[in-house]
Every structure is written in structure tokens, then in C-alpha cells.
Amino acid sequence: MSKLYLVPTPIGNLGDITLRAVEVLKNSDLILAEDTRKTGFLMKKLGIGKPIRSHHKFNEHKSLLDIVEQILSGTVTSLVSDAGTPGISDPGYLLIRECINNNIPVECLPGPTAIIPALVASGLPSDRFCFEGFLPLKKGRTKKFEELKNEKRTMIFFESPFRLVKTLKQFAETFGTERKCSVSRELTKIHEENKRGTLTELIYHFSHKTVRGEIVIVVAGAQ
């Protein structure tokens, strides 16, 4: 049966892979991966020897129709990203949309994501929140900050360790220095860190240390 599976993979700790994810990957004819090396390492650990094909933001437009034709021909296909759920600030949206347009069933498995653990561990309101992903690097960045200035829901962002302090300073300029915030780093890994406080406190903390790893920033909404 023609089908596309969206399979979440661990964001750090390999023990977070689900039994169902392993089953689906074992029964797939083809695995589409953001980085074939990282996915190959995971598949080796899981004892899965299925063909892996590169599918990332630099080639997804070019390979889209070919992949859809393969699925339509009966190739059971699973899409994975380097970490977490495909399509969340990762490649996947275009393929999912094309599959839906071609009446191909799309099934997303529940599983690892950095968003929810960071939100829940922040201690900030989690009943209503908005996920903003990565902020624009240059064009539209100032406008985006202004758009979020009066956002009342808790806000969640992805950020690189190299831009963390800069982003926290811009948050302070826009939201005020006393706005509550939480920074989660290296979630599920050995050096996991969840630092909570005001923006002033977090700027000081991360300005005085070398920051590494994947970053999730959770910012309280406007009162």
C-alpha cells in the first residue's frame, strides 16, 4: 500500500526511540533522511538495514516528484529528520503536501520533540503557547520582534548556541529586562541544562560561559 510515514527520532538520548517507530522503520522499503550519515548511525544501532535516501532542504524541490512516484508505485516510505519530528523546522512540509495532493495516506507517529519538554520544564504557563521556530537572521527580524511584543501566550523559539546571547539581548530590548524566560540546552543528553530566570539573569549567565548544543528558548507572554 502506498503510504508515507513521518517517524520522529531521538533528539539526543537514543533510548527515546519508540517501539512503534522501530517497527515502522523495519517495515519500510525506503527511508528518507535529512542527513544519511546520522540516520545511518541510528539505523545501525537499531539493527535496521533499509535503503536510505537523502532528502533535505537543498534537494527536496528537485526530488519531490520522483519520491511521490515511488510511493505511488507501492514503495512504503518513512521520512525522518536528524532529530525530533519531521516537518518541525526541518524538511518535510513540501513532501507531505505533495503526497496529500496525490491522495497518498500520510501518517505521523508520536514521539520525540524538543518543544514540549522545554515548555513543560520552563515553569511558564503551558496551557496556551505559540511556536515560532528559528527567528529570521536578518530580513524581517526586527519586524518579527515587534509582532511578538504584545503576544500574551508563552513563546517557544529554536536558536543556535552562537546567537543565543544576542537573541536574549534583543528579547530584553523588546519585551523588557524582567520578562521571565527559560533556556533549555542539550535536552535528553548528558549535559542537559535548563536555566530559568529573567532575561537579565539569563543574559548574564550565558555571557559568562561557552554555550554548546541545541537550544530551545521559552519566553513568558505579555501580562
Side-chain angles (χ1 to χ4, degrees):
M1 178 183 176
S2 300
K3 195 166 190 176
L4 174 67
Y5 287 98
L6 309 175
V7 184
T9 53
I11 60 174
N13 191 317
L14 297 186
D16 290 335
I17 191 79
T18 67
L19 294 174
R20 187 170 170 224
V22 174
E23 180 184 3
V24 168
L25 291 169
K26 283 184 176 179
N27 292 322
S28 296
D29 300 311
L30 175 66
I31 298 172
L32 300 175
E34 185 179 4
D35 186 324
T36 56
R37 293 168 299 177
K38 289 186 178 180
T39 299
F41 174 79
L42 177 62
M43 294 304 109
K44 185 176 180 180
K45 286 285 186 180
L46 298 174
I48 298 173
K50 296 292 182 174
I52 302 174
R53 176 173 173 175
S54 177
H55 184 77
H56 48 71
K57 65 180 181 180
F58 300 109
N59 72 357
E60 59 180 340
H61 288 84
K62 185 177 180 180
S63 62
L64 195 61
L65 296 180
D66 179 51
I67 292 172
V68 169
E69 287 179 6
Q70 279 191 277
I71 298 174
L72 286 171
S73 71
T75 302
V76 178
T77 304
S78 287
L79 173 66
V80 301
S81 64
D82 288 347
T85 302
I88 305 297
S89 292
D90 280 321
Y93 165 71
L94 294 178
L95 179 59
I96 294 166
R97 183 182 65 180
E98 197 63 28
C99 284
I100 291 172
N101 290 340
N102 283 273
N103 297 313
I104 295 172
V106 176
E107 185 172 346
C108 183
L109 278 61
T113 173
I115 300 169
I116 300 303
L119 171 64
V120 175
S122 72
L124 296 172
S126 57
D127 54 334
R128 296 177 67 244
F129 61 91
C130 60
F131 172 63
E132 291 293 329
F134 287 99
L135 288 162
L137 294 181
K138 293 182 180 179
K139 185 178 180 181
R141 189 174 176 91
T142 301
K143 181 181 178 182
K144 173 57 68 174
F145 277 108
E146 286 302 313
E147 289 176 356
L148 296 171
K149 189 172 185 177
N150 297 312
E151 174 59 63
K152 295 183 178 180
R153 296 170 295 179
T154 300
M155 298 169 280
I156 307 172
F157 305 87
F158 286 159
E159 190 52 280
S160 83
F162 312 106
R163 292 189 298 269
L164 174 60
V165 173
K166 175 185 176 181
T167 297
L168 290 174
K169 287 180 178 179
Q170 289 179 307
F171 282 155
E173 292 171 3
T174 305
F175 304 141
T177 57
E178 297 305 299
R179 182 75 67 93
K180 294 291 185 180
C181 181
S182 174
V183 173
S184 293
R185 184 178 65 84
E186 294 282 75
L187 285 169
T188 79
K189 299 178 184 178
I190 295 174
H191 301 292
E192 176 175 330
E193 178 183 19
N194 293 282
K195 185 66 177 177
R196 309 165 186 88
T198 64
L199 284 167
T200 296
E201 291 168 339
L202 294 181
I203 290 168
Y204 179 84
H205 175 78
F206 288 106
S207 294
H208 290 79
K209 65 180 297 183
T210 300
V211 183
R212 295 188 176 89
E214 304 296 326
I215 305 289
V216 184
I217 307 174
V218 183
V219 184
Q223 297 297 311

